[in-house]
Amino acid sequence: MATDTPFQHDKDRPWIFRTYAGHSTAKASNQLYRDNLARGQTGLSVAFDLPTQTGYDSDHVLSAGEVGKVGVPICHLGDMQQLFENIPLEQMNTSMTINATAPWLLALYIAAADEQGADRTKLQGTVQNDIIKEYLSRGTYVLPPKASLQLKTDVISYTYTNIPKWNPTNVCSYHLQEAGATPVQELAYALATAVAVLDRVKEGGQVPEADFARVVGRISFFVNAGVRFITEIAKMRAFVDLWDEICRERYGVEEPKFRRFRYGVQVNSLGLTEPQPENNVHRIMIEMLAVTLSKDARARAVQLPAWNEALGLPRPWDQQWSLRAQQILAYETDLLEYEDIFDGSHVMEKKVAELKAAAKEEMRTIEEMGGAVVAVENAYMKERLVESNAARFASIEEGSLTVVGVNKYQQTVESPLTAGEESIMIVPEGVAEEQVARLQAWREKRDDAAVKAALADLRQAAKEGRNVMEPSIVCAKAGVTTGEWGDVLRGVFGEYRAPTGVAKAARNNPAPNLDPVREAVSAVSLKLGRQMKLLVGKPGLDGHSNGAEQIAVRARDTGMDVVYEGIRLTPEQIVNAAEKGDVHIVGLSILSGSHVPLVEDVMVRMREAGLSHIPVIVGGIIPPEDEATLEKAGVSAIYTPKDFDLNKIMLDLVVQVDPEQKASAS
């Protein structure tokens, strides 16, 4: 091809185009995948529902309200086969967003590929399998950190020989930014996680020294691209440099291709707004440029959220809109025809150097305390993330950080895009019941003796420290369910509750303008005869704890007595805590779409326990039509992502406890 300048070249291949998708049932999700592939998507990115992510079957008590809500339920091999029906896995590049149960879902995928007659060595894709970040952000952990790290390394050591084209782990800084991480924290915590994993692989003895560099070369990353455009480009270039340095200096990897920073990206969902959601289109486009403009730090796969994800589950059309954005950038522009356009930029070089130096210092701190696993167990990283997110919330409240349509330029005409009842996709009624019926039918038709034998071998492998992958594949083919696989490992290793990151003491640098709120809290506490007490509860399996953490932190800083025991509680446990703790108000946080059944369950139990006098408030991604349902159930107040003013929410809590405070609060 003729070139216009010496910096132009034959056009690069575009990255893999993906949309993160899965909902309701395996059958419905399969149709969605095939439709998306027909529209030009070049890879699949599977979203699993919360019971699947946390190792429970659809009929478990903790699964109530969660089946098929944030992804597809996969309970057994039959579900996995239906999910990929008429999709040749040997030819597909599949990313699976799964962590605690990653060995199991990969085993099911391999078993489904075997049933299709696929050559395992040709399977391509990624299993997220980053358990460390789950303790810090997403919350779908199951087992203690050290046991989880062992399962993670089992996947890594199995795949590099048996599925050599597979990426066995996706170290995720994406979720760290969603939890409030600064660019420096995102760099440091993700790279510290990768180091902890590779150190464990090296020490574990499953990989011969001669093959270690090849294993390093299969490690991939999953990052976040925020809207601070220049900083995000610099962050990605810093990731490339720091990873190359770690691979070369710490692990002695000489082959450049094995030191390459290989990453996929989903652009920022934390910054998507409920007010004026059409503005999210512009945010998504800018964020996509941050991970595609720099050739030397360009993503290998990109998935974009839909513009309306802050409102609810996107429709297929919304996902197509995001796909078209990628296709226009890749195919209509000249982006892929040039060398890196930032080489030689003094501004970029300075910013990259600043980020690298600060990230190295933070990594040194983590290394000195014993590494990433220790920094999870002692709550160091979690507390830093909660603090960073608190600072972000405060900057939005005081206006030093502008979010268009939220704290500035709020006046708007009504958007035709959000008009009508079908502006988001609703999971059909009866999905959970149908899934449970299929699960029960599956259990009845399988060979129970084969199931028991497979589970016994899995249990023994876990106890002996053997690699669990082959026993898991045997379990998959025998008809074992997700919950049975999870129960075996919980029985061997125990369960785990991660630190919340919410310290009991008030911060020395609290949010601005707290004095009026503190006075109101003090007044109502004096009237009550003791400190006003708030219970923050997260019912169900939803691990998105950012909102709950920030409410707990701000309430504590205003002088309230706060009870927050973390994620994954049953309605029964929350009501028991409210009764035993003698609390004055209960706040429930749910972002998984399961708010109606879970909140209604809590309200029924509150009445039965004689606690109807205690106000219950709810926060989450709650469509307007559901607000009326929750209010009818007895909920006193509802907050959604548009409600960014935490001080106002705190004053609302005071009024809920003592309506006479309304005059002073206003």
Side-chain angles (χ1 to χ4, degrees), residues 144-167:
K146 289 184 176 63
S148 296
L149 196 58
Q150 175 58 48
L151 296 185
K152 183 183 178 88
T153 58
D154 282 356
V155 172
I156 293 170
S157 57
Y158 176 85
T159 55
Y160 94 94
T161 52
N162 293 277
I163 323 175
K165 294 183 179 181
W166 197 268
N167 301 314

Side-chain angles (χ1 to χ4, degrees), residues 567-624:
I567 63 173
R568 213 176 298 164
L569 299 172
T570 64
E572 181 181 14
Q573 289 172 321
I574 289 172
V575 173
N576 286 342
E579 185 173 22
K580 291 179 181 177
D582 197 15
V583 303
H584 298 111
I585 187 166
V586 174
L588 305 178
S589 172
I590 308 170
L591 280 86
S592 64
S594 58
H595 42 269
V596 171
L598 289 176
V599 172
E600 287 181 336
D601 192 356
V602 169
M603 298 308 297
V604 168
R605 292 175 185 275
M606 291 285 284
R607 286 194 292 273
E608 290 175 347
L611 303 178
S612 298
H613 61 286
I614 298 176
V616 175
I617 63 170
V618 178
I621 299 176
I622 301 172

Side-chain angles (χ1 to χ4, degrees), residues 95-115:
S95 173
M96 294 193 287
T97 302
I98 199 75
N99 296 285
T101 54
W104 174 239
L105 271 297
L106 180 57
L108 287 172
Y109 188 85
I110 292 169
D114 286 350
E115 293 296 315

Side-chain angles (χ1 to χ4, degrees), residues 51 54-67 436 439 443 483 487 490 495 539-541 568-573 594 597-598 601 605:
T54 48
Y56 294 106
D57 284 332
S58 296
D59 57 355
H60 192 278
V61 62
L62 276 171
S63 301
E66 306 282 12
V67 176
V436 168
L439 172 61
R443 290 192 187 117
D487 284 345
R490 279 186 278 263
E495 295 191 62
L541 296 174
R568 213 176 298 164
L569 299 172
T570 64
E572 181 181 14
Q573 289 172 321
S594 58
L598 289 176
D601 192 356
R605 292 175 185 275

Side-chain angles (χ1 to χ4, degrees), residues 548-571:
E549 290 159 1
Q550 294 310 313
I551 290 293
V553 167
R554 185 62 59 86
R556 178 205 61 197
D557 288 350
T558 65
M560 295 184 202
D561 184 3
V562 179
V563 180
Y564 175 54
E565 298 177 349
I567 63 173
R568 213 176 298 164
L569 299 172
T570 64

Side-chain angles (χ1 to χ4, degrees), residues 81-322:
Q81 288 173 312
Q82 190 169 53
L83 184 66
F84 293 107
E85 188 175 9
N86 296 320
I87 298 175
L89 297 184
E90 192 176 288
Q91 302 170 29
M92 185 49 55
N93 191 306
T94 304
S95 173
M96 294 193 287
T97 302
I98 199 75
N99 296 285
T101 54
W104 174 239
L105 271 297
L106 180 57
L108 287 172
Y109 188 85
I110 292 169
D114 286 350
E115 293 296 315
Q116 287 188 0
D119 181 348
R120 289 188 187 180
T121 64
K122 293 182 179 179
L123 297 180
Q124 295 185 72
T126 304
V127 64
Q128 193 166 96
N129 195 27
D130 179 3
I131 194 61
I132 293 178
K133 68 97 173 54
E134 293 299 308
Y135 303 109
L136 302 175
S137 52
R138 184 60 187 82
T140 64
Y141 56 83
V142 175
L143 308 173
K146 289 184 176 63
S148 296
L149 196 58
Q150 175 58 48
L151 296 185
K152 183 183 178 88
T153 58
D154 282 356
V155 172
I156 293 170
S157 57
Y158 176 85
T159 55
Y160 94 94
T161 52
N162 293 277
I163 323 175
K165 294 183 179 181
W166 197 268
N167 301 314
T169 186
N170 223 199
V171 179
C172 293
S173 73
Y174 172 85
H175 303 83
L176 301 178
Q177 188 178 131
E178 295 289 294
T182 65
V184 168
Q185 290 170 333
E186 193 177 340
L187 284 163
Y189 297 175
L191 292 171
T193 294
V195 166
V197 171
L198 287 176
D199 283 356
R200 181 65 184 82
V201 171
K202 202 171 181 67
E203 295 162 3
Q206 293 191 56
V207 177
E209 184 65 32
D211 292 342
F212 188 72
R214 192 150 55 91
V215 170
V216 173
R218 296 313 305 173
I219 302 298
S220 62
F221 291 76
F222 186 64
V223 307
N224 203 327
V227 79
R228 289 178 57 78
F229 181 58
I230 303 303
T231 299
E232 292 298 311
I233 295 172
K235 180 190 75 181
M236 296 319 308
R237 292 170 71 89
F239 257 132
V240 169
D241 291 352
L242 288 169
W243 183 241
D244 183 82
E245 185 179 310
I246 289 169
C247 292
R248 188 177 64 252
E249 296 180 4
R250 189 180 186 99
Y251 300 115
V253 179
E254 297 180 0
E255 185 76 36
K257 71 177 182 180
F258 293 150
R259 302 199 305 265
R260 188 178 301 140
F261 186 78
R262 303 160 58 252
Y263 78 98
V265 62
Q266 169 152 329
V267 307
N268 188 286
S269 293
L270 178 67
L272 299 182
T273 64
E274 179 186 11
Q276 301 179 32
E278 63 275 6
N279 294 338
N280 294 329
V281 174
H282 314 310
R283 295 184 177 101
I284 290 166
M285 285 294 294
I286 290 168
E287 291 162 353
M288 176 173 60
L289 290 174
V291 292
T292 54
L293 279 184
S294 178
K295 180 182 177 181
D296 294 343
R298 182 171 293 148
R300 293 171 63 90
V302 176
Q303 58 191 45
L304 304 181
W307 66 280
N308 56 351
E309 283 193 19
L311 306 178
L313 192 63
R315 300 158 298 185
W317 182 87
D318 304 316
Q319 294 189 332
Q320 177 184 289
W321 199 2
S322 292

Side-chain angles (χ1 to χ4, degrees), residues 19-33 44-58 63 66-85 94-98 101 104-105 108-109 138 313 319 425 427-428 431-432 435 438 482 541 592:
T19 52
Y20 180 54
H23 66 87
S24 305
T25 65
K27 183 177 181 180
S29 298
N30 171 261
Q31 184 63 56
L32 177 63
Y33 295 164
L44 295 177
S45 181
V46 182
F48 297 99
D49 74 353
L50 289 174
T52 305
Q53 292 185 50
T54 48
Y56 294 106
D57 284 332
S58 296
S63 301
E66 306 282 12
V67 176
K69 285 287 172 62
V70 300
V72 58
I74 299 295
C75 290
H76 47 71
L77 180 56
D79 285 342
M80 187 65 87
Q81 288 173 312
Q82 190 169 53
L83 184 66
F84 293 107
E85 188 175 9
T94 304
S95 173
M96 294 193 287
T97 302
I98 199 75
T101 54
W104 174 239
L105 271 297
L108 287 172
Y109 188 85
R138 184 60 187 82
L313 192 63
Q319 294 189 332
M425 189 169 74
V427 174
V431 161
Q435 174 67 13
R438 286 191 296 271
T482 297
L541 296 174
S592 64

